[in-house]
Amino acid sequence: MKAIVTVRLKPGVLDPQGKAIGHALEGLGFVGIEDVRVGKVIELELSETDEHKARDAAEKMARRLLANTVIEDFVITLR
Amino acid sequence: MKAIVTVRLKPGVLDPQGKAIGHALEGLGFVGIEDVRVGKVIELELSETDEHKARDAAEKMARRLLANTVIEDFVITLR
């Protein structure tokens, strides 16, 4: 089963990478960009076939390593 | 309008970052991890309100800067 962990900065946390991308896009002539925020998508191919167990394992992995839960939120999607 | 650009490595392209995360997770005692692949999620807050124009602008930004289309694919979602 595939577990997709999407990690984003919490609202209100400054996103320097997003700011840099925004400036770069404007430098390339793009207009109308009000804000840019960047996150990560981590796709975990798991041998687990039970949905609950897979979600539980992915959550533990996210809390332990994939997300810095002080400044980041994460969402888990299963496929 | 918000355009979400999800950028992933094309299938078959080696993902050293994913490999490193996989090894780290195994080092933490997690089992059953067959593969790990990492991508980016770029959220663009655009002043454009027309869906087609917003999608078109996001696509141009993705091709020009956000994705390396030689080794990466991207998907655009509007909200």
Side-chain angles (χ1 to χ4, degrees), chain A residues 8 34 37 39 41 43 45, chain B residues 8 34 39 41 43 45:
Chain A
R8 289 187 173 89
E34 293 176 358
R37 289 182 76 78
V41 179
E43 296 184 5
E45 195 66 53
Chain B
R8 290 185 173 90
E34 294 176 357
V41 179
E43 296 184 6
E45 195 66 52

